[in-house]
Structures are given as C-alpha cells and as structure tokens.
Amino acid sequence: GIQVEQSPPDLILQEGANSTLRCNFSDSVNNLQWFHQNPWGQLINLFYIPSGTKQNGRLSATTVATERYSLLYISSSQTTDSGVYFCAVGSRAGSYQLTFGKGTKLSVIP
Amino acid sequence: KAGVTQTPRYLIKTRGQQVTLSCSPISGHRSVSWYQQTPGQGLQFLFEYFSETQRNKGNFPGRFSGRQFSNSRSEMNVSTLELGDSALYLCASSLTGGGNGYTFGSGTRLTVV
C-alpha cells in the first residue's frame, strides 16, 4: 500500500517562530488532508489539499502532487498550536480509506 | 451544523467481553469510516461504510465488525476483547468517501483491563 512519511517527528519552537512540516507519499493520491490532533484526541481538519496551495490565517499548505509531497507552514506560532500534526492520504479511486503518517509532534514554548 | 458524534467518550471493559461503539455522521454525509489509534501502531483504518454497505476493510481480525443503518449512523463491535484492543477509536464521515474530505469525531477511548 501507499507509504506516508512525515518529518520532522518532533519539533520544539519558541512562540512567534515559523515552521514547515513535510509529508512525502509514495504513490499518486486523490485525497490529502492535514489534521491537528488536540490534547483530547480529536483530529481537527486543517486542509483538504490533494493539489495546489491553500491558506487559512497563520496556516498554509502546499501539495505538489507530481513530486509526491505536501508542506504545512505555520507562521508566528502560538502555544495553542502545540499538538500532533498528521498528514493523511487516500490513493486511487475506490479505496475509500486514509493512510496516515506517524505525525509531527509540535511543542511551542512561551 | 452538528459535527460527527461518537458515544460513549470513555469505556472500560474486561478481557473477553464485547463492546459496541456508536458514530453519528454529519447530516447528509453517507460515508462513515472507523480508525484505531494506538501509541505503537498509530492510526490504522478499520472499515468504511456507504449506504449500509461495507466498501473496504482494513487488516484487522474478524472480532472487529461494523454496520451502518439507513440514517447513516454506524456502529462498530469488538468481541472477545483483548488487552491490545485498548485504543482511541475514531470515526470519520464524508459526503461520499474516497476523494472527499473527512471530518472526524472526538473518539471513544477504550480501555481493556
């Protein structure tokens, strides 16, 4: 099946710093989403972005489908950004499932 | 609009028992998927239902089963619980599954003792 690799696995930032999280995938995808998992376990949908670029406030994401990677940018980080960020992909029509990476654990310190 | 609702939020069961978890999708969403999250294996796909039909199943033993009702609500059942079944179980809904975005519920945290 499709492989999803996220880097870095852990990231510690000072409040106000910027960061880039990366997601590499091994096959073409028809679905790519970035999620933030909060301390209570809920996966919050940040972006649905199988290709192109999107922005939402301090967050933006870019997926280059032809090169099989996606980037999540966090600018002016805040302590509330702490948590685990997951990239999840769906490959080929009809598979009806997401394959998740192992996540990037982000800690933003004051 | 209401999000994806999972019940119960927390559950403690004894080895050998069975458990049923419930998921109500976003209104209008017909696809419901289930995922298991553990510290060791991460997030793994269990199964996906669309219009009461299971379309895809992950690599889990037959003790894990599910169903979907005509109102799109879904249940999953785990029989003969093992300690290793302790996990966060997450449900996701989407309009049609596949290439659409998924919205997840808050999850059910199952502890098997």
Side-chain angles (χ1 to χ4, degrees):
Chain A
I2 192 168
Q3 305 297 315
V4 182
E5 292 185 1
Q6 290 187 245
S7 60
D10 295 279
L11 187 59
I12 300 175
L13 294 176
Q14 202 77 35
E15 200 169 22
N18 303 329
S19 61
T20 301
L21 281 56
R22 187 176 179 101
C23 171
N24 293 331
F25 43 96
S26 62
D27 202 350
S28 58
V29 299
N30 63 354
N31 186 339
L32 188 146
Q33 290 184 258
W34 284 96
F35 295 94
H36 176 220
Q37 189 164 40
N38 65 24
W40 298 272
Q42 183 165 12
L43 286 168
I44 307 298
N45 187 347
L46 299 176
F47 293 103
Y48 168 69
I49 187 166
S51 63
T53 297
K54 291 186 178 179
Q55 181 160 6
N56 185 3
R58 296 182 297 103
L59 303 180
S60 63
T62 295
T63 297
V64 183
T66 53
E67 297 187 21
R68 299 182 183 169
Y69 73 89
S70 182
L71 302 173
L72 177 69
Y73 304 97
I74 305 174
S75 64
S76 304
S77 58
Q78 302 175 357
T79 55
T80 52
D81 294 332
S82 297
V84 183
Y85 290 81
F86 289 100
C87 169
V89 303
S91 66
R92 79 179 188 277
S95 65
Y96 309 119
Q97 70 180 73
L98 290 175
T99 300
F100 283 79
K102 296 295 187 186
T104 292
K105 184 176 180 181
L106 175 65
S107 301
V108 181
I109 55 178
Chain B
K1 61 182 178 182
V4 179
T5 303
Q6 291 189 245
T7 56
R9 288 296 311 277
Y10 301 93
L11 207 48
I12 300 176
K13 289 287 188 178
T14 304
R15 274 179 300 174
Q17 288 186 312
Q18 74 167 16
V19 66
T20 299
L21 311 181
S22 178
C23 173
S24 293
I26 291 172
S27 178
H29 285 193
R30 296 168 66 188
S31 168
V32 174
S33 305
W34 289 89
Y35 291 79
Q36 181 197 65
Q37 185 177 25
T38 58
Q41 299 299 317
L43 281 146
Q44 294 185 286
F45 171 77
L46 281 158
F47 25 66
E48 189 262 1
Y49 289 88
F50 181 83
S51 292
E52 302 178 67
T53 300
Q54 185 184 92
R55 295 195 297 189
N56 199 11
K57 189 179 193 315
N59 189 24
F60 279 82
R63 299 186 297 106
F64 291 81
S65 63
R67 58 179 176 169
Q68 186 181 32
F69 302 95
S70 58
N71 62 357
S72 293
R73 190 177 71 86
S74 177
E75 290 181 348
M76 68 162 282
N77 183 278
V78 187
S79 62
T80 319
L81 284 165
E82 300 176 359
L83 295 179
D85 298 332
S86 295
L88 179 64
Y89 290 88
L90 291 160
C91 161
S93 80
S94 71
L95 282 170
T96 59
N100 300 116
Y102 291 81
T103 301
F104 280 82
S106 299
T108 294
R109 192 167 294 278
L110 171 66
T111 302
V112 182
V113 297

